[in-house]
Amino acid sequence: TQLLEQSPQFLSIQEGENLTVYCNSSSVFSSLQWYRQEPGEGPVLLVTVVTGGEVKKLKRLTFQFGDARKDSSLHITAAQPGDTGLYLCAGPRMDSSYKLIFGSGTRLLVRP
Amino acid sequence: NAGVMQNPRHLVRRRGQEARLRCSPMKGHSHVYWYRQLPEEGLKFMVYLQKENIIDESGMPKERFSAEFPKEGPSILRIQQVVRGDSAAYFCASSPGPIGANTGELFFGEGSRLTVL
């Protein structure tokens, strides 16, 4: 069974701090996606990583896909209150790529 | 361009009633997916539909739940005889074509939050 575990579950930091959240699995994924979900809204795709070792940057957000394609991390530099939200990682099931497996998320609060 | 539209945004039902959730995909998208999110959890796949076809309903409970995507009109997720455990956020997503292992993006709606009293 493919599972994605995210850590930490909750993170509360001060504006301006840096942080890293993790998405881990014992299974290989062909790709991983990161979403941000705000309260009362649906998930919005931030990035898809496909190649082992790949690093993608989106302004202050840096996403990395592990060499073995079993894990990924999201690093935020100089966090801002607007970064507050639930960060979800997701990957396609090996047997059915249209079925995304989601982690349970990291809930981030950035205090002004 | 309108995004994925879901309604109602909030729905309250008593145990034993029926809930109908509607989803209009993005313009030009013919593939619809329903996911369920329980509090403090990630999303869980329920069903994948194309126009007039159910492609995969393996994530949907066999009883009380059904889904359709008619030739005309929105996709509908129907829950009969709701129980408290059905309380959750139900998200619809759409894509223009099949989602591949490394390709394709799902566009999610804002969700329908069902509360069963």
Side-chain angles (χ1 to χ4, degrees), chain A residues 2-48:
Chain A
Q2 291 177 281
L3 292 173
L4 286 169
E5 294 186 356
Q6 292 191 245
S7 61
Q9 283 187 291
F10 302 98
L11 190 56
S12 177
I13 62 170
Q14 202 71 35
E15 182 177 0
E17 292 183 356
N18 302 332
L19 67 116
T20 302
V21 299
Y22 301 92
C23 173
N24 295 300
S25 177
S26 58
S27 306
V28 173
F29 280 85
S30 56
S31 62
L32 281 179
Q33 298 179 338
W34 284 91
Y35 291 81
R36 183 168 73 201
Q37 184 180 18
E38 300 192 20
E41 305 291 330
V44 176
L45 181 67
L46 296 174
V47 79
T48 301

Coordinates of all heavy atoms in Angstrom, one line a residue, chain A residues 2-48:
Chain A
Q2 N 0.6 2.1 -0.9 CA 1.4 3.4 -1.0 C 0.8 4.4 0.0 O -0.4 4.6 0.0 CB 1.3 4.0 -2.4 CG 2.1 3.2 -3.4 CD 1.9 3.8 -4.8 OE1 0.9 3.6 -5.4 NE2 2.9 4.5 -5.3
L3 N 1.7 4.9 0.9 CA 1.2 5.9 1.8 C 2.2 7.1 1.8 O 3.4 6.9 1.5 CB 1.3 5.3 3.3 CG 0.2 4.2 3.6 CD1 0.5 3.7 5.0 CD2 -1.2 4.8 3.5
L4 N 1.7 8.2 2.1 CA 2.5 9.4 2.2 C 2.3 10.0 3.6 O 1.2 10.2 4.1 CB 2.1 10.5 1.2 CG 2.5 10.2 -0.2 CD1 1.8 11.2 -1.2 CD2 4.0 10.3 -0.4
E5 N 3.4 10.2 4.3 CA 3.4 10.7 5.7 C 4.0 12.1 5.7 O 5.2 12.3 5.1 CB 4.1 9.8 6.6 CG 3.5 8.4 6.8 CD 4.1 7.6 7.8 OE1 5.2 8.0 8.4 OE2 3.6 6.5 8.1
Q6 N 3.4 13.0 6.3 CA 3.9 14.4 6.3 C 4.2 14.8 7.7 O 3.6 14.4 8.7 CB 2.8 15.3 5.7 CG 2.6 15.2 4.2 CD 1.8 16.3 3.6 OE1 0.7 16.0 3.2 NE2 2.3 17.5 3.7
S7 N 5.3 15.5 7.8 CA 5.7 16.0 9.1 C 6.3 17.4 9.0 O 6.9 17.8 7.9 CB 6.8 15.1 9.7 OG 7.9 15.0 8.9
P8 N 6.2 18.3 10.0 CA 5.3 18.0 11.2 C 3.9 18.2 10.8 O 3.5 18.6 9.8 CB 5.8 19.1 12.2 CG 6.2 20.2 11.3 CD 6.8 19.6 10.1
Q9 N 3.0 17.7 11.7 CA 1.6 17.9 11.5 C 1.2 19.4 11.6 O 0.3 19.9 10.9 CB 0.8 17.1 12.5 CG 0.7 15.6 12.2 CD -0.2 14.9 13.1 OE1 0.1 14.8 14.3 NE2 -1.3 14.4 12.6
F10 N 1.8 20.0 12.6 CA 1.4 21.5 12.9 C 2.8 22.2 13.0 O 3.7 21.7 13.6 CB 0.6 21.6 14.2 CG -0.7 20.9 14.1 CD1 -0.8 19.6 14.8 CD2 -1.8 21.4 13.5 CE1 -2.0 18.9 14.7 CE2 -3.0 20.7 13.5 CZ -3.1 19.4 14.1
L11 N 2.7 23.5 12.6 CA 3.9 24.3 12.7 C 3.5 25.7 12.9 O 2.7 26.2 12.1 CB 4.8 24.1 11.5 CG 6.2 24.8 11.5 CD1 7.0 24.2 12.7 CD2 6.9 24.4 10.2
S12 N 3.9 26.4 14.0 CA 3.6 27.8 14.2 C 4.9 28.5 14.3 O 5.7 28.2 15.2 CB 2.8 27.9 15.5 OG 2.5 29.2 15.8
I13 N 5.1 29.5 13.5 CA 6.3 30.2 13.5 C 6.1 31.7 13.3 O 5.0 32.2 13.0 CB 7.2 29.8 12.3 CG1 6.6 30.1 11.0 CG2 7.7 28.3 12.4 CD1 7.5 29.9 9.8
Q14 N 7.1 32.5 13.6 CA 7.0 33.9 13.5 C 7.4 34.4 12.1 O 8.2 33.7 11.4 CB 8.1 34.5 14.5 CG 7.8 36.0 14.9 CD 6.6 36.1 15.8 OE1 6.4 35.2 16.7 NE2 5.9 37.1 15.7
E15 N 6.7 35.4 11.6 CA 7.0 36.0 10.3 C 8.5 36.2 10.2 O 9.2 36.7 11.1 CB 6.3 37.3 10.2 CG 6.4 38.0 8.9 CD 5.6 39.3 8.8 OE1 4.9 39.6 9.7 OE2 5.7 39.9 7.7
G16 N 9.0 35.9 9.0 CA 10.4 36.1 8.7 C 11.3 34.8 9.0 O 12.4 34.8 8.5
E17 N 10.8 33.8 9.7 CA 11.5 32.6 9.9 C 11.5 31.7 8.7 O 10.6 31.8 7.8 CB 11.0 31.9 11.1 CG 11.2 32.6 12.4 CD 10.7 31.8 13.6 OE1 10.1 30.7 13.4 OE2 10.9 32.2 14.8
N18 N 12.4 30.8 8.6 CA 12.5 29.8 7.6 C 11.9 28.5 8.1 O 11.9 28.2 9.4 CB 13.9 29.5 7.1 CG 14.6 30.8 6.6 OD1 13.9 31.7 6.1 ND2 15.9 30.8 6.7
L19 N 11.4 27.6 7.3 CA 10.9 26.3 7.7 C 11.0 25.3 6.6 O 11.1 25.7 5.4 CB 9.4 26.5 8.1 CG 8.5 26.8 6.9 CD1 7.5 25.7 6.7 CD2 7.8 28.1 7.2
T20 N 11.0 24.1 7.0 CA 11.0 23.0 6.1 C 9.9 21.9 6.5 O 9.8 21.6 7.7 CB 12.3 22.3 6.0 OG1 13.3 23.2 5.6 CG2 12.3 21.2 4.9
V21 N 9.1 21.5 5.6 CA 8.1 20.4 5.9 C 8.4 19.2 5.0 O 9.0 19.4 3.9 CB 6.7 20.9 5.7 CG1 6.4 22.0 6.7 CG2 6.4 21.3 4.3
Y22 N 8.1 18.0 5.4 CA 8.5 16.8 4.8 C 7.4 15.9 4.4 O 6.3 15.9 5.0 CB 9.5 16.1 5.7 CG 10.7 16.9 6.1 CD1 10.7 17.6 7.3 CD2 11.8 16.9 5.3 CE1 11.8 18.4 7.7 CE2 12.9 17.6 5.7 CZ 12.9 18.4 6.9 OH 14.0 19.1 7.2
C23 N 7.6 15.2 3.3 CA 6.6 14.2 2.8 C 7.4 12.9 2.5 O 8.3 13.0 1.7 CB 6.0 14.8 1.5 SG 4.9 13.7 0.6
N24 N 7.1 11.9 3.2 CA 7.9 10.6 3.1 C 7.1 9.4 2.8 O 5.9 9.3 3.2 CB 8.7 10.4 4.4 CG 9.7 11.5 4.7 OD1 10.6 11.7 4.0 ND2 9.5 12.2 5.8
S25 N 7.7 8.5 2.1 CA 7.0 7.2 1.8 C 8.0 6.1 1.8 O 9.2 6.3 1.5 CB 6.3 7.3 0.5 OG 5.7 6.1 0.2
S26 N 7.6 4.9 2.0 CA 8.4 3.7 1.8 C 8.3 3.2 0.3 O 9.0 2.3 -0.1 CB 8.1 2.6 2.7 OG 6.7 2.2 2.6
S27 N 7.4 3.9 -0.4 CA 7.2 3.5 -1.8 C 7.7 4.5 -2.8 O 7.8 5.7 -2.4 CB 5.7 3.3 -2.1 OG 5.1 2.5 -1.2
V28 N 8.0 4.1 -4.0 CA 8.5 5.0 -5.0 C 7.3 5.6 -5.7 O 6.3 4.9 -6.0 CB 9.3 4.2 -6.1 CG1 9.7 5.1 -7.3 CG2 10.6 3.7 -5.4
F29 N 7.4 6.9 -6.0 CA 6.3 7.6 -6.7 C 6.9 8.1 -8.0 O 8.0 8.5 -8.1 CB 5.7 8.7 -5.9 CG 4.7 8.3 -4.9 CD1 5.2 7.9 -3.6 CD2 3.4 8.3 -5.1 CE1 4.3 7.4 -2.6 CE2 2.5 7.9 -4.2 CZ 2.9 7.5 -2.9
S30 N 6.1 8.0 -9.1 CA 6.5 8.5 -10.4 C 6.6 10.0 -10.4 O 7.4 10.6 -11.1 CB 5.6 8.1 -11.5 OG 4.3 8.5 -11.2
S31 N 5.8 10.7 -9.5 CA 5.9 12.1 -9.3 C 5.2 12.4 -8.0 O 4.5 11.6 -7.5 CB 5.2 12.8 -10.5 OG 3.8 12.5 -10.5
L32 N 5.5 13.6 -7.5 CA 4.8 14.1 -6.3 C 4.3 15.5 -6.6 O 5.0 16.3 -7.3 CB 5.7 14.1 -5.1 CG 5.9 12.7 -4.4 CD1 6.9 12.9 -3.3 CD2 4.6 12.1 -4.0
Q33 N 3.2 15.9 -6.0 CA 2.7 17.2 -6.1 C 2.5 17.8 -4.7 O 2.3 17.1 -3.8 CB 1.3 17.2 -6.8 CG 1.3 16.6 -8.2 CD 0.0 16.6 -8.9 OE1 -1.1 16.5 -8.2 NE2 -0.1 16.6 -10.2
W34 N 2.7 19.1 -4.7 CA 2.4 19.9 -3.5 C 1.2 20.8 -3.7 O 1.2 21.5 -4.7 CB 3.6 20.7 -3.0 CG 4.7 19.9 -2.4 CD1 5.8 19.3 -3.0 CD2 4.9 19.5 -1.0 NE1 6.6 18.6 -2.1 CE2 6.0 18.7 -0.9 CE3 4.1 19.9 0.1 CZ2 6.5 18.3 0.4 CZ3 4.6 19.4 1.4 CH2 5.7 18.6 1.5
Y35 N 0.3 20.8 -2.8 CA -0.9 21.7 -2.8 C -0.9 22.5 -1.5 O -0.4 22.1 -0.5 CB -2.2 20.8 -2.8 CG -2.4 20.1 -4.1 CD1 -1.8 18.8 -4.3 CD2 -3.3 20.6 -5.1 CE1 -2.1 18.1 -5.5 CE2 -3.6 19.8 -6.2 CZ -3.0 18.6 -6.4 OH -3.2 17.9 -7.6
R36 N -1.5 23.7 -1.7 CA -1.8 24.5 -0.5 C -3.4 24.6 -0.4 O -4.0 24.9 -1.4 CB -1.2 25.9 -0.5 CG -1.5 26.6 0.8 CD -0.6 27.9 0.9 NE -1.1 28.9 0.0 CZ -0.3 29.9 -0.4 NH1 0.9 30.0 0.0 NH2 -0.7 30.8 -1.2
Q37 N -3.9 24.4 0.8 CA -5.3 24.5 1.0 C -5.6 25.5 2.1 O -5.1 25.3 3.2 CB -5.9 23.1 1.3 CG -7.4 23.1 1.5 CD -8.0 21.8 1.8 OE1 -7.2 20.9 2.3 NE2 -9.2 21.6 1.6
E38 N -6.4 26.5 1.8 CA -6.8 27.5 2.8 C -8.1 27.1 3.4 O -8.9 26.4 2.8 CB -6.8 28.9 2.2 CG -5.4 29.2 1.7 CD -5.2 30.7 1.3 OE1 -6.0 31.5 1.8 OE2 -4.3 31.0 0.6
P39 N -8.4 27.5 4.6 CA -9.7 27.1 5.3 C -10.9 27.4 4.4 O -11.0 28.5 3.8 CB -9.7 28.0 6.5 CG -8.3 28.3 6.8 CD -7.6 28.4 5.5
G40 N -11.8 26.4 4.2 CA -13.0 26.6 3.5 C -12.8 26.6 2.0 O -13.7 26.9 1.2
E41 N -11.6 26.3 1.5 CA -11.3 26.3 0.1 C -10.8 24.9 -0.4 O -10.5 24.0 0.5 CB -10.2 27.3 -0.2 CG -10.5 28.7 0.2 CD -11.6 29.4 -0.5 OE1 -11.8 29.0 -1.7 OE2 -12.4 30.2 0.1
G42 N -10.7 24.7 -1.7 CA -10.1 23.5 -2.2 C -8.6 23.6 -2.3 O -8.0 24.7 -2.3
P43 N -7.9 22.5 -2.5 CA -6.5 22.5 -2.7 C -6.1 23.2 -4.0 O -6.7 23.0 -5.0 CB -6.1 21.0 -2.7 CG -7.3 20.3 -2.2 CD -8.5 21.1 -2.5
V44 N -5.0 23.9 -4.0 CA -4.5 24.6 -5.2 C -3.1 24.0 -5.4 O -2.2 24.0 -4.5 CB -4.4 26.1 -5.0 CG1 -3.8 26.7 -6.2 CG2 -5.9 26.6 -4.8
L45 N -2.8 23.5 -6.6 CA -1.5 23.0 -6.9 C -0.4 24.0 -6.9 O -0.6 25.1 -7.5 CB -1.6 22.3 -8.3 CG -0.3 21.6 -8.8 CD1 0.0 20.4 -7.9 CD2 -0.4 21.2 -10.3
L46 N 0.7 23.7 -6.2 CA 1.8 24.6 -6.2 C 2.9 24.1 -7.2 O 3.4 24.9 -8.0 CB 2.4 24.6 -4.8 CG 1.6 25.2 -3.7 CD1 2.3 25.0 -2.3 CD2 1.2 26.6 -3.9
V47 N 3.2 22.8 -7.2 CA 4.2 22.3 -8.0 C 4.1 20.8 -8.2 O 3.5 20.1 -7.4 CB 5.6 22.7 -7.4 CG1 5.9 21.7 -6.3 CG2 6.7 22.7 -8.4
T48 N 4.7 20.3 -9.3 CA 4.8 18.9 -9.5 C 6.3 18.6 -9.7 O 6.9 19.3 -10.5 CB 4.0 18.4 -10.8 OG1 2.7 18.7 -10.6 CG2 4.2 16.9 -11.0

